[in-house]
Every structure is written in structure tokens, then in C-alpha cells.
Amino acid sequence: MAAIKDRFDQKGFQMLQNLETALTSSENASDSDLIGSIIAFYGDDFTHADRLQTQLKLLHCSGAALTDLPSIIIYLKSLNSTEKSFFSEVIKIVKLILVMPATNATSERSFSALRRLKTWLRTTTCQARLNWCLLLHVHKQRTDGLPLKELVNEFVTCNESRMRLFGRYPE
């Protein structure tokens, strides 16, 4: 139980929770401590606490039922560019929430795959090729469905020497 508590008591998780609370709760939109902690954590991203607080209040006064993150995202996407400019700070918060990883499992899997690939390829591989091999390995589900014949044909036709090597000449 203590391990689970330690896992969710980290500063990054607390900040993710603060961001979502500020967005989804109309009562917390006026909480200056919450807004202050967000601005203190992100520094240069949010320079005006009063602007952020005003935009959060305006978001909840819009009349739409914005009680969860998906409904807020749908609402913000439905606005035209002029209306979106009224919510510039709120859009920054949404972007921060969307790009913040919930766990680090993907990065840990990537490093495990890198260790296996590096052992297999040894040190004969340049960094660029190793990166591409690792990318293909980590995203197996997406790469398994690729049309290999079409990709190979496109690869061969991109270079004249490859076309001569494989017996294909430009038409």
C-alpha cells in the first residue's frame, strides 16, 4: 500500500491533478493558491495569473456542461479562431495535460528494446539506423500492417543505382 501511495504522491502527478482540477471545477477556477501553484511550476508558460484565472472563469460561464476533460476539449475544438484567442491560457493547460505522460512505461520499454537491439546489432550500427530500428521495434503493432512490397518498390525507385541493381529502370 505504501508503494502505491509513494507512486501517486510525486510532484508531477500532483501538478497533473492541479491542472485538471483547475480546468474542470468552476469553484477552483477562482482559487488563487491553485492558480499560483500552476504558474510557479510552469514558470514562463503562464506569465499572467489574472489572465489565466479570468479565462478559467469565462470557460465555466460559457453555458456548456464542462465537467470533464473530454467535454472541454470538444468545446474548445468547436470554437472558431477568434473565440479560441479568448481562451489562449486555457488551451495551454489542455495541451500540457495532453502531452504529459501518465506513466513512464513506454520509455522503460524503449530502453529495454534498445538494450536488446544494441546487443544484437553490436556496435556496427550508426546512431541514426539504431534509432530507426528501435522506432520500428517499439511500434510493432503499427508497422506489422504496412504494405511491404509497396514500400520496397518505392525505396528502390527513389535511387537510380538501386533501380539498376534490382533491374528496374525509369520509364
Side-chain angles (χ1 to χ4, degrees), residues 111-140:
F111 280 109
S112 297
L114 176 65
R115 189 172 43 247
R116 286 193 306 275
L117 275 173
K118 194 67 172 173
T119 302
W120 178 64
L121 296 172
R122 301 288 177 211
T123 58
T124 59
T125 304
C126 67
Q127 188 65 41
R129 182 171 181 204
L130 183 63
N131 287 344
W132 289 116
C133 286
L134 183 61
L135 187 68
L136 290 171
H137 180 75
V138 169
H139 298 286
K140 267 186 188 176

Side-chain angles (χ1 to χ4, degrees), residues 6 20 24-27 33 41 63 66 113 128 156 158 161:
D6 290 341
E20 192 167 350
T24 57
S25 174
S26 59
E27 299 90 37
D33 291 336
F41 187 83
L66 305 173
V156 169
C158 287
S161 63

Side-chain angles (χ1 to χ4, degrees), residues 4 28 34 41 79 87-88 102 114 143 158:
I4 291 175
N28 291 325
L34 182 67
F41 187 83
L79 300 175
F87 295 110
S88 60
L114 176 65
T143 57
C158 287

Side-chain angles (χ1 to χ4, degrees), residues 6 11 13 16 30 33 45 63 68 71-72 84 87-88 98 104 136 153 157 163 171:
D6 290 341
K11 190 174 182 179
F13 187 76
L16 181 63
S30 59
D33 291 336
D45 289 332
D68 60 347
S71 64
I72 292 172
K84 284 181 184 177
F87 295 110
S88 60
L98 292 176
N104 60 353
L136 290 171
N153 286 332
T157 57
M163 287 192 291
E171 299 165 1

Side-chain angles (χ1 to χ4, degrees), residues 8-147:
F8 292 106
D9 262 350
Q10 298 174 13
K11 190 174 182 179
F13 187 76
Q14 287 298 116
M15 187 47 56
L16 181 63
Q17 194 173 13
N18 287 349
L19 288 171
E20 192 167 350
T21 301
L23 267 179
T24 57
S25 174
S26 59
E27 299 90 37
N28 291 325
S30 59
D31 185 358
S32 58
D33 291 336
L34 182 67
I35 303 298
S37 70
I38 292 171
I39 290 176
F41 187 83
Y42 286 104
D44 295 336
D45 289 332
F46 300 103
T47 53
H48 303 290
D50 54 339
R51 184 182 298 167
L52 176 60
Q53 204 165 10
T54 303
Q55 289 182 12
L56 286 169
K57 287 178 186 176
L58 183 63
L59 178 72
H60 292 291
C61 291
S62 65
L66 305 173
T67 57
D68 60 347
L69 188 60
S71 64
I72 292 172
I73 292 171
I74 291 168
Y75 174 73
L76 291 172
K77 281 184 174 181
S78 70
L79 300 175
N80 63 38
S81 60
T82 308
E83 293 169 330
K84 284 181 184 177
S85 67
F86 291 122
F87 295 110
S88 60
E89 303 295 310
V90 172
I91 290 172
K92 284 182 195 177
I93 288 180
V94 171
K95 286 180 181 179
L96 285 170
I97 290 173
L98 292 176
V99 298
M100 190 180 296
T103 68
N104 60 353
T106 304
S107 59
E108 289 175 3
R109 264 195 307 270
S110 299
F111 280 109
S112 297
L114 176 65
R115 189 172 43 247
R116 286 193 306 275
L117 275 173
K118 194 67 172 173
T119 302
W120 178 64
L121 296 172
R122 301 288 177 211
T123 58
T124 59
T125 304
C126 67
Q127 188 65 41
R129 182 171 181 204
L130 183 63
N131 287 344
W132 289 116
C133 286
L134 183 61
L135 187 68
L136 290 171
H137 180 75
V138 169
H139 298 286
K140 267 186 188 176
Q141 289 104 1
R142 293 184 77 185
T143 57
D144 282 346
L146 292 175

Side-chain angles (χ1 to χ4, degrees), residues 152-171:
V152 168
N153 286 332
E154 184 180 336
F155 177 75
V156 169
T157 57
C158 287
N159 188 313
E160 202 172 305
S161 63
R162 284 189 219 131
M163 287 192 291
R164 281 194 301 272
L165 183 66
F166 290 101
R168 296 183 186 153
Y169 298 98
E171 299 165 1

